C-alpha cells in the first residue's frame, strides 16, 4: 500500500510548473513532447528587397533568389528580406499535424499561393505556421514565402525599448525547420497549466485552491510523457474537477480578442501597414478554427491600408465582419490623442471613421474605443453624442501615478452635461493573455461591485505580437464555467454594454469633467513643431472650407467645392493626430513622414484658399473689361471668424502675396494697390502697415480705418519702456519682462508687485523612464530664471499703428531667445513674437506670468469650450495636476478683473496661486534623440481685462491671434470692393466654429457648427 503524502503547497506547485516549463527539464517534461519530430527544410532561398519602397508579393516572387542557410544574419534595421522556403515532409509523418517553425528574431509574414496567411513573431510565441492538420502521402511537399521585416515588435531600440533605434542592427535566422505538432500533448499541457494557475492564484487557504492543487498533482503522477494513453487518464482526472460549475451569482467576464496596433510609434507608418497584415491574418486563421472567437478592431485608417495592399485578407475580414465576429469598434479614423486636437478635428475623426465603416460594412460603431492615450478631454462626451456614440472604453487611467481612479463602470459626464456609459477593464490591460491570474484580478479589482457584476476582458498581443493566440483561446475556453472562478464568456462590445445598460445603468456613479491622466504630461510640449503645424493646419482647413463653401454657393455649383481634396487633407491631419505622433512620443522617422504630410496640407490648403477666394468673388468684382485689360488689381482682406474684426495688417510692397501678422509671402512681383495712400506707418522691415476693419465671415478692402487713439511708446527715466494704446498700458524692463500692466480705465496693476511677468524659466527635465512622455513633479524644485541679457530691450516700432521692442536673452552657450514685444493700435493684448535657438539636453523652458489676481481656480481653453481647474494644492488630486493641457488661452480671474495668456501653438500649462505658466520647449532624447533640436518660432500674448473672460472677449481674441486676417491679391473693378459679410452671429456668446459642405450629397447644402 502506497503511503499518503502530506502535500507541501510550494513544492507541489513548483513541481507542476516545471512539468510544463519551457526552460527547466525540457528533455523529460510534457513540453518536450510538443514537437517530438523535427527535420530540416529542403531549401531556403533569399532576396533582399530595395529599401526605398515597398515591394508587393507579385513583384517579390519574380526576383532571383540565392541559397542561404540557418545561422545567417540579415539587415540592417527597417530592411525587408524575402525567403522562398521549400519543404518536403518525411513520409513516415503521414497522419500527423505538421508545422513550419521559424525564428528570425524579428517580425515576419508567411505567404502561401499569393495570400498573406499568418504573422510570425518569436517575441510573443508566434513562431510556427500550420502546413497541414493531417499529412497525407500524396501531399508531402509545401512551398511558402516569408517576408521578413528587420525590426522587432517594438522596433529596434539601441539599449532600452524606447531608446532611439539602432539603424545597423542585424537579425539572425536561427530556426527554419519542419516539425510534428503533438496536439494531444498540447491539450494536456493547457489543462495542467490551468489547474496549476488556479491552485497558485486562488486564496492560499481556499478549499477550491487545494482541490486544484491535489488534482494537478494527481495528473502529473498519472502522466507518462512518452505514453499517449496516459494522457487520457489525466483528462479524466481533470474533468472531475472541471465538471463542477459556477453559481448564478458569479461575476461575469466578457472576453474579446484585441490587438492594439499603434499607427506609428517605435516604427514608421509604413511598418504599421505590415503589422496589421501580420496580426489580422493570424486572427482570421483562429476564426476558421474557433467558431465562437470574437475580435475587436479599431482605426478606419488601418482598415483602409489593408484594403489597398492586402485585398484577399480584407475580403476574409469582411466575411467575418458580416458574421459579427470581426468587430469594427471606435468609430474614429485613428485612435487619436485625447487632449490636443481641436473640437472640429475630434468631430472629423468620428465623421470619417463612421463614414468608412458604414460604406464598407453597412454599420457604424456605438462605442468609442481609445484604450491608450494620455488623458481625455471633458468635451469628448458631447462630441461623442453628437457623432452617434454612447459608450466609451479605455484602460489608460490605471496608469495614474498618484491617485487611483475610483470607478471601472460609470457614467461619464462632459462639460455640457452630456453623458455616456464608460468602462475601464479592471484587469488594467488591453493585452491580456487569458490566464487564471488575470481573470481573478479583473474580478477582484472591480471597483463597482454591487452596482454591476460585469467586466470586459481584452486579450491578445498588440503592436505586432499578432493579436490573440491559440493558447489564449484554449485557456479561456476552459474557464467558461468552473467553480471557483468568475464566469467567462466570449462576447462583443455591444453585448457587454447592452447588458450593463439593461441591468445596471441606474445604479452606476457619475464622473463629471475631464479624465486627467497623472502621467505623460510632457506630451503636451514635446516636439513643439508638430504641435505648431497641427494648430496651423486645423485653422487652414477651417479657412479652406469656409471659402470653398462661399464659392459653391455663389456659383451654385457643387463641383466648385473641392470635396475629395479637402477630405484627403483632413485625413492626413487626422493621421498625424494619432496618440503617439501628435504627442511627440515617436521615433524620428515618424516625424519625417508627419512633416511631409503637414507640408502637403499647408501647400495644398493654401492653394485651395486662393482658388476659392477667386471663385467666390469673380462675378462680383470683375467685369469682362477688367478681365481683358488685366491691369486693375486689389487687395482683399478676409475675416474667417464670426465677429467683426479691426486689426493691423502688413503688406510687402514688392510682393504679390500679402502678409498678415508676420506670414511670409512667396512670389516676388511689383503690385498696384487700390488701398488709400494714407499709409500711417512703415514697419522696421519695410512692410506697410494698415489698420482695417472687416465684417464677420466676410471680406473688405485694404483701407485704413480712422485711428481714434494711436499707439505710443516711450523710454522713461526709470529705464522702463512704456507702451500704451486705448486698451492697455505696459511697462517693460530691459530684459523684456513686464513690470506693470494696466487696463485703460483702471488703476490696478495686473502684474504682481513682487515678480515680473514674461519671465523665462529653465528646469531640469529628467523623468523616471518615459523620456518624451513625462514631466515629473520634482522638476519644480530646479527652477532657474533666464537672466542673462545679450541685447537689452530696444524700440524698433514707434507707432502710430504699431509699437514694438526687441530683446535678446542667453539661455546657455548653445541656446538663446530673440523676442519682439508688440502692441498694436486697438489691441487688448501685448504680443510676444518669440524665436528660440534650442540645443539642450533634458531641459524644460517655461515662461511665467505672476499676476495680482486672487482666486481659487484657473480657466483653460479646450475643444469648443473651457474647463476650470483648482490653482491650489489642497488634495493629492490637485498636486498631481501640476501640468495640464489647454489650447488657445488660460485665465486667472476674480470678480470684475482678470489676466489671460493667449498662444498660437502651445498646450502645456500650469497655474498655482496667482501665477500662470506656459511650457514652451522640452529636450527629451528618447525615442527621438533629435526631438526639438532646432529653431522655434511661436507667439503668445498677455491680456489683462475687466469683467469676466467672456465679457472681455478672451475667447474671441484667442481666435484672432491664431487666425489673423488674411489678404488676397485679386483682379477687380475700380471701386468694386465693398465690405461683405456672409455669416454673422446674433449672440457674442456663440462661435460659428465651422462652415462646410454637407457630406450627404444634398446639392448646395452647408453644415454650420456652432
Amino acid at each position: 500500500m502506497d503511503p499518503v503524502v502530506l502535500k507541501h503547497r510550494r513544492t507541489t506547485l513548483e513541481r507542476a510548473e516545471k512539468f510544463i516549463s519551457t526552460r527547466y527539464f525540457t528533455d523529460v517534461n510534457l513540453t518536450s513532447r510538443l514537437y517530438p519530430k523535427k527535420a530540416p527544410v529542403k531549401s531556403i532561398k533569399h532576396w533582399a528587397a530595395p529599401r526605398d519602397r515597398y515591394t508587393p508579393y507579385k513583384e517579390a516572387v519574380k526576383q532571383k533568389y540565392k541559397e542561404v542557410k540557418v545561422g545567417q544574419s540579415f539587415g540592417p534595421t527597417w530592411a525587408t528580406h524575402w525567403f522562398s522556403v521549400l519543404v518536403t515532409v518525411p513520409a513516415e509523418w503521414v497522419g500527423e499535424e505538421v508545422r513550419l517553425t521559424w525564428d528570425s528574431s524579428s517580425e515576419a509574414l508567411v505567404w502561401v499561393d499569393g495570400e498573406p496567411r499568418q504573422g510570425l513573431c518569436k517575441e510573443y510565441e508566434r513562431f510556427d505556421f500550420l502546413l497541414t492538420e493531417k499529412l497525407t502521402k500524396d501531399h508531402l511537399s509545401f512551398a511558402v514565402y516569408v517576408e521578413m521585416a528587420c525590426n522587432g515588435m517594438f522596433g529596434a531600440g539601441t539599449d532600452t525599448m524606447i531608446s532611439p533605434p539602432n539603424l545597423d542592427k542585424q537579425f539572425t535566422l536561427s530556426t527554419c525547420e519542419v516539425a510534428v505538432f503533438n496536439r494531444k500533448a498540447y491539450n494536456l499541457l493547457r489543462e495542467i497549466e490551468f489547474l496549476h494557475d488556479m491552485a497558485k492564484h486562488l486564496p492560499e487557504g481556499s478549499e477550491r485552491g487545494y482541490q486544484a492543487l491535489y488534482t494537478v498533482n494527481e495528473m502529473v503522477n498519472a502522466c507518462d510523457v512518452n505514453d499517449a494513453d496516459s494522457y487520457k487518464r489525466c483528462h479524466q482526472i481533470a474533468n472531475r474537477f472541471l465538471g463542477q460549475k459556477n453559481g448564478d451569482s458569479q461575476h461575469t467576464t466578457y472576453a474579446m480578442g484585441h490587438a492594439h496596433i499603434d499607427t506609428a510609434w517605435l516604427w514608421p507608418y509604413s511598418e504599421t501597414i505590415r503589422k496589421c497584415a501580420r496580426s489580422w491574418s493570424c486572427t482570421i486563421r483562429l476564426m476558421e478554427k474557433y467558431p465562437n472567437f470574437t475580435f475587436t478592431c479599431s482605426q478606419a485608417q488601418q482598415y483602409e491600408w489593408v484594403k489597398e495592399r492586402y485585398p484577399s485578407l480584407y475580403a476574409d475580414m469582411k466575411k467575418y465582419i458580416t458574421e459579427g465576429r470581426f468587430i469594427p469598434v471606435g468609430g474614429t479614423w485613428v485612435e487619436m490623442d485625447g487632449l490636443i486636437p481641436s473640437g472640429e478635428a475630434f468631430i472629423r475623426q468620428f465623421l470619417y471613421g463612421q463614414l468608412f465603416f458604414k460604406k464598407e460594412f453597412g454599420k457604424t460603431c456605438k462605442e468609442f474605443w481609445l484604450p491608450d492615450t494620455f488623458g481625455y478631454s471633458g468635451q469628448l462626451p458631447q462630441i461623442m453624442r453628437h457623432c452617434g456614440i454612447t459608450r466609451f472604453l479605455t484602460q489608460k487611467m490605471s496608469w495614474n501615478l498618484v491617485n487611483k481612479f475610483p470607478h471601472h463602470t460609470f457614467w461619464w459626464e462632459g462639460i455640457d452635461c452630456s453623458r455616456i456609459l464608460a468602462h475601464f477593464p479592471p484587469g488594467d490591460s488591453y493585452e491580456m493573455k487569458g490566464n487564471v491570474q488575470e481573470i481573478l484580478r479583473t474580478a477582484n479589482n472591480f471597483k463597482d461591485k454591487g452596482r454591476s457584476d460585469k467586466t470586459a476582458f481584452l486579450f491578445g498581443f498588440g503592436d505586432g505580437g499578432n493579436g490573440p493566440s491559440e493558447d489564449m483561446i484554449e485557456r479561456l475556453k476552459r474557464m467558461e464555467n468552473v467553480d471557483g472562478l468568475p464566469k467567462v464568456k466570449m462576447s462583443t462590445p455591444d453585448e457587454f454594454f447592452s447588458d450593463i445598460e439593461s441591468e445596471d445603468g441606474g445604479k452606476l456613479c457619475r464622473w463629471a469633467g475631464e479624465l486627467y491622466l497623472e502621467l505623460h504630461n510632457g506630451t503636451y510640449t514635446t516636439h513643439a513643431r508638430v504641435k505648431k503645424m497641427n494648430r496651423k493646419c486645423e485653422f487652414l482647413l477651417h479657412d479652406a472650407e469656409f471659402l470653398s463653401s462661399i464659392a459653391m454657393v455663389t456659383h451654385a455649383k457643387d463641383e466648385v467645392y473641392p470635396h475629395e481634396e479637402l477630405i484627403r487633407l483632413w485625413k492626413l491631419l487626422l493621421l498625424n493626430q494619432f496618440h503617439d505622433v501628435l504627442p511627440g512620443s515617436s521615433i524620428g522617422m515618424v516625424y519625417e513622414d508627419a512633416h511631409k504630410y503637414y507640408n502637403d496640407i499647408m501647400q495644398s490648403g493654401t492653394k485651395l484658399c486662393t482658388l476659392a477666394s477667386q471663385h467666390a468673388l469673380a462675378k462680383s468684382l470683375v467685369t469682362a473689361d477688367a478681365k481683358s485689360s488685366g491691369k486693375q488689381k486689389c487687395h482683399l482682406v478676409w475675416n474667417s471668424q464670426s465677429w467683426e474684426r479691426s486689426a493691423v495688417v502688413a503688406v510687402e510692397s514688392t510682393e504679390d502675396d500679402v502678409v498678415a501678422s508676420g506670414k511670409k509671402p512667396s512670389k516676388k512681383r511689383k503690385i498696384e494697390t487700390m488701398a488709400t495712400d494714407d499709409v500711417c506707418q512703415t514697419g522696421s522691415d519695410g512692410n506697410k502697415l494698415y489698420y482695417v476693419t472687416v465684417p464677420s465671415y466676410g471680406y473688405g478692402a485694404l483701407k485704413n480705418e480712422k485711428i481714434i487713439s494711436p499707439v505710443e511708446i516711450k523710454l522713461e527715466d526709470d529705464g522702463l519702456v512704456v507702451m500704451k494704446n486705448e486698451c492697455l498700458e505696459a511697462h517693460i524692463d530691459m530684459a523684456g519682462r513686464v513690470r506693470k500692466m494696466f487696463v485703460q480705465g483702471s488703476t490696478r496693476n495686473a502684474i504682481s508687485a513682487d515678480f515680473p511677468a514674461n519671465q523665462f524659466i529653465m528646469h531640469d527635465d529628467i523623468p523616471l523612464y518615459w523620456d518624451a512622455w513625462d514631466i515629473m513633479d520634482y522638476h519644480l524644485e530646479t527652477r532657474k530664471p533666464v537672466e542673462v541679457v545679450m541685447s537689452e530691450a530696444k524700440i524698433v516700432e514707434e507707432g502710430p499703428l504699431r509699437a514694438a521692442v526687441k530683446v535678446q536673452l542667453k539661455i546657455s552657450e548653445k541656446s538663446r531667445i530673440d523676442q519682439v514685444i508688440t502692441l498694436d493700435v486697438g489691441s487688448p493684448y501685448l504680443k510676444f513674437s518669440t524665436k528660440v535657438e534650442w540645443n539642450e539636453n533634458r531641459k524644460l523652458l517655461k515662461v511665467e506670468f505672476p499676476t495680482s489676481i486672487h482666486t481659487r481656480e484657473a480657466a483653460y481653453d479646450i475643444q469648443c469650450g473651457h474647463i476650470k481647474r483648482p490653482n491650489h494644492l489642497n488634495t493629492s488630486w490637485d498636486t498631481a495636476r501640476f501640468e495640464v493641457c489647454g489650447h488657445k488661452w488660460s485665465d486667472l480671474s476674480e470678480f470684475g478683473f482678470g489676466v489671460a495668456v493667449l498662444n498660437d501653438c502651445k498646450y502645456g500649462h500650469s497655474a498655482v496661486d496667482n501665477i500662470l505658466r506656459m511650457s514652451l520647449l522640452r529636450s527629451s532624447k528618447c525615442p527621438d534623440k533629435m526631438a526639438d533640436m532646432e529653431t522655434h518660432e511661436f507667439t503668445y500674448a498677455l491680456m489683462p481685462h475687466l469683467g469676466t473672460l467672456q465679457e472681455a472677449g478672451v475667447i474671441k481674441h484667442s481666435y484672432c491671434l491664431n487666425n489673423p486676417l488674411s489678404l488676397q491679391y485679386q483682379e477687380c473693378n475700380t471701386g468694386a470692393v465693398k465690405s461683405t459679410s456672409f455669416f454673422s452671429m446674433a449672440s457674442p456668446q456663440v462661435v460659428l466654429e465651422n462652415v462646410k459642405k454637407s457630406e450627404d450629397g444634398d446639392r448646395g447644402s452647408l453644415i454650420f457648427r456652432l
Side-chain angles (χ1 to χ4, degrees), residues 280 284 303 306 313-322 326:
W280 297 351
I284 297 300
Y303 283 82
V306 170
L313 172 58
Y314 191 71
D316 288 339
M317 291 164 53
K318 292 190 75 171
K319 170 189 172 184
Y320 289 109
I321 289 171
T322 301
F326 196 113

Side-chain angles (χ1 to χ4, degrees), residues 577-626:
Q577 290 180 344
F578 178 73
H579 67 251
D580 272 310
V581 179
L582 183 55
S585 50
S586 291
I587 61 172
M589 284 181 68
V590 172
Y591 295 106
E592 294 175 11
D593 289 335
H595 285 295
K596 180 177 70 176
Y597 297 152
Y598 285 134
N599 291 338
D600 185 356
I601 296 167
M602 292 300 297
Q603 293 173 11
S604 301
T606 300
K607 290 179 182 177
L608 292 181
C609 287
T610 301
L611 187 61
S613 174
Q614 293 170 352
H615 279 310
L617 304 181
K619 291 183 178 180
S620 60
L621 296 185
V622 185
T623 64
D625 291 341

Side-chain angles (χ1 to χ4, degrees), residues 141-156:
S141 297
F142 300 86
V144 302
Y145 282 87
V146 179
E147 180 187 6
M148 171 187 164
C150 288
N151 54 269
M153 199 182 85
F154 292 109

